[in-house]
Amino acid sequence: MDDRLARAVLSFRAARRRRHLERQDGTPSPAAPAVPGARGWAARAAAVAVGAAVLTGVGAANAQAEQAPARAGWDGTRYWYKDETGWWRWTRHHAKYQARTQAAERASAERTQAPARAGDASSAGRGEPVFRGRSGWDPVDRVYWYRDESGRWRWTGHRSKFEQRHTLGASTTTRAATNAPAAPGPADRTAATSGSTAKRKDPTAPRTAAPARGLERAIAFAEAQVGEPYVWGGEGPNGWDCSGLVQEAYRKAGIALPRVAVDQYRAATPITRSQLRRGDLVFWTDSGSVSGVHHVAVYLGDGKYLEAPRPGRNVRVSSFSSYNPNLYGRVG
C-alpha cells in the first residue's frame, strides 16, 4: 500500500507541474503525457491507506492471542495438539484429540520418512525405506526388498529389477546352503540313508513369525516400562505414547517397525483374533478400516495386552474386557 500511495503522489505532483507549464505557454507539454484523474486517484489511494491503518490499529488493539501450551496433551481443561501444519489446536473431546494427533503423526512421518521410489539401498540419496523383515513388495515405502548374492538386503523401486535380482540372490543363497556342511541330525541321517537330498527353506521367503526369543525380548522391554507416564509423541526413556513404545520394544528384538500405529498395522501380517499368540500386536480403529487405526498394544496372551493408554495414565497391562481391540497383526 505504501508503494501505491507513493506512486500516486508522484503522479499527482507531475500533473500539477504540467498544468502549471501549460498555463505559461498555452500548449500541452509533450514530454509528460497527461494522466487523467491523477488527483482523484491519489486521494482515493490516500483514503484507502488511512482506512487500512485505522483498521489495523483497531485489530491490534482488540485482538486477544491465546498463549501456546508448554506441551501437548491434557492441561486440566482441554487437550492440546499440533495439526498437520504445525499449529497448536485444542479440543475437549478425547476421541477427537486421538484422531487428530494420529493424523498429525502420519503427516509428520510422511514428511520425514519420504521413501525414494527407485534405486538400490547402496546408492539411495534420499530418505531410506524401512526394512520390515520380508522380501517382496513393501506397500508402506513402496519398494521391493530382496537379498543380493552376498546375502545382504537391498531394495529397488523397479519390479523388473526386483524379479531379476531376487531370482539371482535366491539361487546363489540356495547353492551356498546346499554346498555348506550341515550339522548331523535325525533328518540328515534319514536323507543320507535314503539317498535323497533334504529340501532347505528359501531364506528369502516371508517369515510368519519372529523367533520366540526375539519376541520375548520385545515383551520384556515393554513390561519394564510399566508405570512410566504416557507422553504424546513420547519415544522414551521417561515417557511413551502407544506406537512409540511398540516401535522401541520390537527394535530391541531386532524388528524394525514404522513410527505410528496405522503404519505399524500396515507393516504387520493381518491375522484373526483366534490366531492371536503372545507377541502379536492388537489395534483399535474407530471406523472399522485400516485408515482409522489410532491405538496399538502388545498382546501378552490370555486376553491381556500391554499399552501406553492416553494422557494422564501410565503404561499398564489391560484386558480385552476393559478395552476391546478390533484389528490384529503379526510382525517379524
Side-chain angles (χ1 to χ4, degrees), residues 4-87:
R4 293 180 58 189
L5 180 59
R7 287 196 297 270
V9 171
L10 291 175
S11 298
F12 172 71
R13 289 177 178 174
R16 185 171 61 180
R17 176 65 176 170
R18 188 171 51 257
R19 285 194 297 273
H20 176 70
L21 295 175
E22 289 173 358
R23 284 196 297 269
Q24 289 182 344
D25 58 14
T27 59
S29 174
V35 181
R39 184 190 297 270
W41 198 95
R44 288 195 297 273
V48 170
V50 172
V54 171
L55 290 176
T56 302
V58 172
N62 294 334
Q64 297 293 330
E66 194 163 16
Q67 185 176 3
R71 61 179 180 84
W74 181 254
D75 68 354
T77 59
R78 64 193 73 180
Y79 292 99
W80 285 95
Y81 64 94
K82 282 188 177 181
D83 63 14
E84 296 87 339
T85 62
W87 285 90

Side-chain angles (χ1 to χ4, degrees), residues 6-332:
R7 287 196 297 270
V9 171
L10 291 175
S11 298
F12 172 71
R13 289 177 178 174
R16 185 171 61 180
R17 176 65 176 170
R18 188 171 51 257
R19 285 194 297 273
H20 176 70
L21 295 175
E22 289 173 358
R23 284 196 297 269
Q24 289 182 344
D25 58 14
T27 59
S29 174
V35 181
R39 184 190 297 270
W41 198 95
R44 288 195 297 273
V48 170
V50 172
V54 171
L55 290 176
T56 302
V58 172
N62 294 334
Q64 297 293 330
E66 194 163 16
Q67 185 176 3
R71 61 179 180 84
W74 181 254
D75 68 354
T77 59
R78 64 193 73 180
Y79 292 99
W80 285 95
Y81 64 94
K82 282 188 177 181
D83 63 14
E84 296 87 339
T85 62
W87 285 90
W88 283 107
R89 308 290 186 187
W90 63 267
T91 178
R92 289 190 172 90
H93 302 282
H94 182 258
K96 185 181 294 185
Y97 161 75
Q98 281 193 319
R100 295 188 177 178
T101 51
Q102 289 291 340
E105 286 181 2
R106 288 196 298 271
S108 177
E110 290 171 358
R111 288 193 297 269
T112 58
Q113 299 179 0
R117 297 303 177 89
D120 293 337
S122 59
S123 61
R126 293 179 289 176
E128 289 292 328
V130 177
F131 177 61
R132 296 179 174 83
R134 66 188 69 181
S135 64
W137 176 247
D138 180 354
V140 178
D141 289 331
R142 302 186 64 80
V143 295
Y144 294 94
W145 285 95
Y146 65 93
R147 272 184 172 171
D148 62 13
E149 296 87 338
S150 64
R152 296 180 62 186
W153 286 103
R154 305 286 187 180
W155 63 268
T156 178
H158 301 283
R159 181 174 179 177
S160 58
K161 186 181 294 185
F162 161 74
E163 292 174 347
Q164 176 187 1
R165 299 188 178 181
H166 172 69
T167 304
L168 179 61
S171 61
T172 303
T173 306
T174 302
R175 286 197 302 270
T178 303
N179 296 330
D188 293 327
R189 287 195 294 269
T190 302
T193 304
S194 62
S196 61
T197 302
K199 294 183 179 179
R200 292 176 174 83
K201 183 179 178 181
D202 182 355
T204 63
R207 293 176 293 170
T208 57
R213 184 174 60 182
L215 290 177
E216 289 301 328
R217 283 199 296 268
I219 294 172
F221 178 85
E223 288 177 334
Q225 311 311 309
V226 170
E228 293 293 331
Y230 178 99
V231 176
W232 182 82
E235 297 178 344
N238 300 317
W240 306 91
D241 66 6
C242 62
S243 56
L245 175 59
V246 168
Q247 183 189 46
E248 185 61 26
Y250 283 83
R251 181 183 289 127
K252 298 297 184 184
I255 301 172
L257 288 176
R259 175 60 181 85
V260 296
V262 63
D263 290 336
Q264 289 174 356
Y265 179 77
R266 292 189 175 118
T269 300
I271 58 175
T272 64
R273 183 162 179 159
S274 62
Q275 295 174 312
L276 275 174
R277 65 191 186 198
R278 184 175 170 87
D280 289 338
L281 297 179
V282 293
F283 300 85
W284 286 258
T285 172
D286 292 332
S287 63
S289 64
V290 175
S291 61
V293 170
H294 60 82
H295 188 50
V296 61
V298 180
Y299 184 63
L300 302 177
D302 298 326
K304 296 181 180 180
Y305 54 86
L306 191 149
E307 64 169 346
R310 62 179 183 273
R313 296 289 186 269
N314 297 332
V315 177
R316 66 188 182 186
V317 174
S318 302
S319 65
F320 288 169
S321 60
S322 60
Y323 191 27
N324 203 16
N326 45 15
L327 288 176
Y328 315 92
R330 183 165 294 159
V331 296

